[in-house]
Amino acid sequence: GGLAHRGGAVPGWAAEDAVGKVAVVGRPNVGKSSLLNALLGQERMVVNPVAGTTRDSVACGYEWRGEKLLLIDTAGIRRQAAGGEEREELDRAAVAAARVAISQCHVALLLLDAYQGLTRADLAIAGLVTEQQKSCVIVANKADRLHAAAPP
């Protein structure tokens, strides 16, 4: 499977013009699509509190410091889910697409939920990135929820 390209926040250039590909990976609902929307400055990715909203890896053009990048939003990576054969097949396809995005990227942004902390699933996803020998930037998202858990 390839990547679906959604035009991008940078008009007038094709995906082939990108000097780097950045895959945004992580567990479901850690904020991958929300982060990309914030970076792009527009609502390009569908955001929903229901896990599993992003099914395909979707790429958007982005310019940073004069360099053209391809940002790739991926489905949340999780173990096979309970919920019937059809749901499991969708999950397998989504995880396969995320693995392809990791294999094709130059850098992976691994999003973690700062409130939940580092989980086994996060470590497993980091393992997928290192197996492909890709650079990895760890991003702690949802830190705004931490103050509620802090002691007085």
Side-chain angles (χ1 to χ4, degrees):
L3 300 173
H5 188 268
R6 284 215 182 141
V10 181
W13 64 275
E16 298 79 36
D17 295 333
V19 297
K21 295 178 185 174
V22 179
V24 181
V25 300
R27 292 180 290 117
N29 281 24
V30 293
K32 296 176 297 296
S33 296
S34 295
L35 173 66
L36 283 173
N37 284 339
L39 286 172
L40 294 168
Q42 52 187 283
E43 299 295 314
R44 302 283 304 178
M45 307 300 167
V46 176
V47 176
N48 191 307
V50 176
T53 299
T54 303
R55 284 286 173 201
D56 297 315
S57 294
V58 179
C60 280
Y62 180 70
E63 190 165 323
W64 186 69
R65 295 186 178 181
E67 298 292 340
K68 295 172 182 168
L69 302 173
L70 199 62
L71 302 179
I72 307 164
D73 188 17
T74 65
I77 299 173
R78 61 175 153 201
R79 293 179 191 221
Q80 284 187 337
E85 195 171 310
E86 184 177 327
R87 174 65 187 222
E88 288 182 13
E89 186 60 36
L90 285 171
D91 285 344
R92 277 194 292 276
V95 170
R99 286 175 179 262
V100 168
I102 291 169
S103 73
Q104 294 179 351
C105 77
H106 296 102
V107 176
L109 296 184
L110 173 55
L111 252 69
L112 312 175
D113 184 323
Y115 186 75
Q116 294 177 351
L118 186 66
T119 68
R120 284 185 178 166
D122 295 324
L123 293 173
I125 297 165
L128 294 175
V129 174
T130 58
E131 281 173 16
Q132 295 289 327
Q133 299 182 358
K134 303 297 179 172
S135 297
C136 184
V137 176
I138 299 173
V139 180
N141 200 17
K142 301 187 180 186
D144 53 317
R145 294 185 58 206
L146 291 176
H147 74 280

